[in-house]
Amino acid sequence: MKKYIVYLGILAVGLLLGWILFGSSSKQEAEHNHSEVEESNQMWTCSMHPQIMQPEAGDCPICGMDLIPSEAGADGLAADEFKLTENAMALANIQTTVVGKSNIEGNTIKLSGKIAENEEANAVQVSYFSGRIERLNVSFTGEEVRKGQLLATIYSPELYAAQQELITAASLKESQPALYKAVRNKLKLWKLSENQINQIEETQKVKENFPVYATVSGTVAEKLVEQGDYIKQGQPLLKIANLNTVWGNFDVYENQINLFKKGQEVMITTNAYSNKEFNGKVDFIDPVLNTKTRTVTLRVVLNNKDDVFKPGMFVTANINGVKNKNKEALSIPASAVLWTGERSVVYLKTNPDQPVFEMREVTLGNQIGNEYQVLEGLFSGNEIVTNGAFTVDAAAQLQGKKSMMNKDGGKVMTGHEGHLGMDNNSSNKETDHTNMNERLEVSEKFQQQLNSIYNEYINLKDALVKEDSKSISTSTSTLLNNLTKVDMKLLSDNKAHNHWMSLEKEIKSSVTSISETSDIKAQRDHFKHLSSHLINAVQLFGVNEKVYLEFCPMADNNKGAFWLSKEEKVINPYFGDAMLTCGEVKQVIE
């Protein structure tokens, strides 16, 4: 019996030792296997190209930078939010600022407007008798006429009959003076002069055709009839505008109405005379609000004896020393705003402790200095991107979030993806972003003129690639010349015209800066700014051809820079032979 007890004790001790020795190693092996599984699930990404996801560490296939561990996910983010890495924030030099209310008293408020005819000085030339226009002496609109000038010759059966009545009544004026007087007065009502009436009476001859003379001096604004037309008594023949004075009509938002009053001094500028300023005063503020635009019209009467202003011309009013009764207004830096079509957007930092962003559409008021008033979309205390907004927008597009050119979100097709051989179903899901562009409607002729600027920009890009100083000088000279050939009159839409005015000024400034230096590094730095503004122009107006938007994260001291290209192949203008193929196609603009 004792023998069995001993055996059982030895067995128990053996089991205990076995569990201690082998059980712990199994646990360690299980833990080791678990960690291996976790490690095998680790994905690696590029700080500048978050669309790159690889199961192993290595180099980015686009820019060659070392891949970094991908974060576990974007848990807790809203549908429209996206996150950037700290490394990407630093490389792109992304800066933010808190939106606040600023005192605008003493600053200059800019208003956009258009020149119109002074309606108080306009006149309509009418016919005082019916008949047929035998000859029209005014050939075209815009023709100058003077008071008393012959405008037309009219054959009038009524006037023919009235002349015969005068000849008959003249022979009876002694016996029937009342009849004679009545016939003469009838001719006077048809604007025949005393001399004309006396001549008919003396010669006893009836005139078949009668002249119509201008009653005012001015410019023919509109021809309402043509030679050979039959007209009625009192029918308008011509609209004549006196352009010695004109109206400048400006839009004022309803929350700014109390900032303006009659008699305020106004400085007027126009793109046609960029180096000149013209004085004027507020003459009228429309008492009726336009319910569609939520604006009222502010009118300035301008002296135009030198024929500087043309009706339809776009102008800007700078009003100094505006007293703001509300004292404070919500404002943001102009650098924070991205424009696309009729929309203006900013990027909001939704988490103060983490680089989490969201696109926000805003409604802006007038520009005050280097800031815009915010009417809708933001609140005091919001934190927005003020430097690097374009880079943040590119990240939003790559992550399929709402962005400047993709207001509904969803993955944006890049130039590379366009050749992956997707079937029809997948291509419908991954819609090319150009279908979502809110492009402004402009004439094809304007697009052709913009295309000539774009083509010379491409020549400049190629010259920078080759570091060819002579070609760079030639291209900048031609580009500036092409800018002067753009016809502003082709932009009938006020918003399109204002966008182009702003872009043209920046494009001209950038090209001029390139032409004024021979340092290739400085030229490439100015080329970055030129590209940024021309990208906006191409996206807004189009150039009737496919354009590739390309990006290099290493350019501009690792801040990144964009450029436009006619081909999908990347040829980097910021590095030349040093890093000729560094970069990628970000968008395809149709």
Side-chain angles (χ1 to χ4, degrees), residues 166-187:
L166 174 64
I167 294 172
T168 302
S171 62
L172 302 173
K173 63 181 178 180
E174 297 295 336
S175 59
Q176 299 187 38
L179 174 63
Y180 171 71
K181 187 176 180 180
V183 172
R184 287 184 66 93
N185 287 337
K186 182 179 179 181
L187 291 173

Side-chain angles (χ1 to χ4, degrees), residues 380-558:
S380 182
N382 287 154
E383 188 174 358
I384 61 172
V385 175
T386 52
N387 187 68
F390 201 82
T391 303
V392 175
D393 182 77
Q397 294 186 41
L398 290 170
Q399 296 185 39
K401 303 298 182 178
K402 287 184 177 180
S403 61
M404 177 175 63
M405 305 309 294
N406 190 355
K407 66 177 183 177
D408 298 320
K411 193 171 185 301
V412 177
M413 186 193 299
T414 67
H416 294 297
E417 291 167 322
H419 297 282
L420 291 179
M422 295 183 296
D423 59 26
N424 291 334
N425 292 332
S426 64
S427 63
N428 288 336
K429 293 177 182 177
E430 297 192 9
T431 307
D432 190 326
H433 78 280
T434 53
N435 293 332
M436 301 179 189
N437 286 4
E438 290 190 16
R439 177 165 293 172
L440 297 178
E441 292 293 332
V442 296
S443 68
E444 186 175 343
K445 189 172 181 180
F446 177 80
Q447 289 181 323
Q448 291 172 354
Q449 293 178 352
L450 182 59
N451 186 271
S452 67
I453 295 171
Y454 166 67
N455 285 330
E456 201 53 49
Y457 163 90
I458 295 297
N459 292 336
L460 175 60
K461 172 187 72 73
D462 294 341
L464 287 170
V465 171
K466 299 174 183 177
E467 300 186 6
D468 185 345
S469 58
K470 184 177 180 181
S471 296
I472 291 172
S473 176
T474 302
S475 294
T476 53
S477 177
T478 307
L479 211 160
L480 288 171
N481 185 47
N482 290 346
L483 268 174
T484 63
K485 294 179 180 179
V486 175
D487 187 0
M488 291 289 188
K489 295 178 182 178
L490 297 174
L491 296 174
S492 56
D493 180 72
N494 195 1
K495 291 183 178 178
H497 193 281
N498 287 341
H499 277 307
W500 174 245
M501 283 178 64
S502 176
L503 289 170
E504 183 199 36
K505 181 180 179 181
E506 298 297 338
I507 291 171
K508 184 178 180 180
S509 175
S510 298
V511 177
T512 302
S513 298
I514 294 173
S515 67
E516 291 176 347
T517 180
S518 58
D519 180 53
I520 189 67
K521 186 178 182 299
Q523 288 176 331
R524 283 169 169 159
D525 183 56
H526 293 306
F527 181 76
K528 173 186 174 181
H529 297 291
L530 167 63
S531 297
S532 175
H533 301 303
L534 192 60
I535 286 167
N536 285 336
V538 172
Q539 288 174 328
L540 284 174
F541 306 115
V543 290
N544 281 331
E545 65 175 277
K546 182 182 289 186
V547 179
Y548 294 92
L549 174 60
E550 300 178 344
F551 177 76
C552 173
M554 313 298 289
D556 194 18
N557 296 321
N558 293 322

Side-chain angles (χ1 to χ4, degrees), residues 556-583:
D556 194 18
N557 296 321
N558 293 322
K559 294 177 184 177
F562 289 83
W563 74 93
L564 296 172
S565 176
K566 285 180 173 286
E567 56 186 349
E568 185 177 354
K569 181 181 178 182
V570 172
I571 301 178
N572 194 321
Y574 297 107
F575 292 106
D577 292 335
M579 296 177 66
L580 191 61
T581 59
C582 177

Side-chain angles (χ1 to χ4, degrees), residues 44-297:
W44 297 77
T45 186
C46 174
S47 60
M48 292 305 297
H49 302 95
Q51 76 273 27
I52 299 298
M53 285 290 175
Q54 293 186 357
E56 297 178 355
D59 295 335
C60 175
I62 297 174
C63 64
M65 293 179 64
D66 292 336
L67 297 180
I68 60 174
S70 174
E71 297 182 0
D75 295 339
L77 298 184
D80 296 329
E81 293 179 334
F82 59 96
K83 191 174 184 179
L84 296 180
T85 64
E86 293 293 345
N87 193 22
M89 292 277 292
L91 288 175
N93 193 26
I94 294 171
Q95 299 174 13
T96 62
T97 188
V98 176
V99 177
K101 292 184 177 180
S102 60
N103 194 327
I104 68 170
E105 186 172 355
N107 288 328
T108 299
I109 286 187
K110 293 184 179 180
L111 302 177
S112 298
K114 185 185 290 187
I115 295 297
E117 300 163 5
N118 184 344
E119 295 178 8
E120 294 176 344
N122 287 354
V124 178
Q125 187 74 47
V126 301
S127 172
Y128 295 100
F129 43 84
S130 60
R132 182 180 67 246
I133 300 176
E134 294 293 307
R135 182 174 178 80
L136 186 63
N137 294 77
V138 175
S139 304
F140 53 88
T141 58
E143 187 174 343
E144 296 288 336
V145 298
R146 296 183 177 277
K147 184 176 181 180
Q149 179 180 328
L150 178 63
L151 299 179
T153 303
I154 299 175
Y155 167 73
S156 173
E158 291 180 345
L159 198 53
Y160 188 88
Q163 291 178 81
Q164 290 179 323
E165 289 178 5
L166 174 64
I167 294 172
T168 302
S171 62
L172 302 173
K173 63 181 178 180
E174 297 295 336
S175 59
Q176 299 187 38
L179 174 63
Y180 171 71
K181 187 176 180 180
V183 172
R184 287 184 66 93
N185 287 337
K186 182 179 179 181
L187 291 173
K188 288 180 182 180
L189 289 175
W190 281 333
K191 298 299 180 182
L192 268 68
S193 65
E194 287 283 352
N195 289 335
Q196 287 177 314
I197 296 173
N198 291 336
Q199 186 179 10
I200 296 169
E201 185 177 339
E202 290 171 2
T203 61
Q204 299 287 298
K205 291 182 180 180
V206 177
K207 292 185 177 181
E208 292 187 357
N209 301 323
F210 264 83
V212 175
Y213 297 102
T215 56
V216 294
S217 297
T219 303
V220 177
E222 187 177 358
K223 283 175 60 180
L224 302 174
V225 293
E226 295 294 339
Q227 188 166 298
D229 287 353
Y230 282 86
I231 56 173
K232 297 180 180 179
Q233 183 178 359
Q235 181 175 336
L237 304 177
L238 304 167
K239 285 186 179 180
I240 299 177
N242 187 334
L243 299 180
N244 286 334
T245 60
V246 292
W247 286 349
N249 292 326
F250 301 90
D251 293 329
V252 175
Y253 290 97
E254 59 180 313
N255 68 331
Q256 299 172 325
I257 295 174
N258 62 346
L259 304 180
F260 305 99
K261 63 181 181 180
K262 214 174 166 184
Q264 274 179 310
E265 294 286 341
V266 180
M267 297 297 292
I268 306 295
T269 58
T270 172
N271 200 52
Y273 306 94
S274 56
N275 297 324
K276 290 185 179 181
E277 291 184 336
F278 305 90
N279 296 321
K281 288 186 178 181
V282 177
D283 179 70
F284 174 76
I285 299 175
D286 198 331
V288 179
L289 181 76
N290 186 322
T291 56
K292 292 183 179 179
T293 61
R294 310 305 303 175
T295 60
V296 298
T297 299

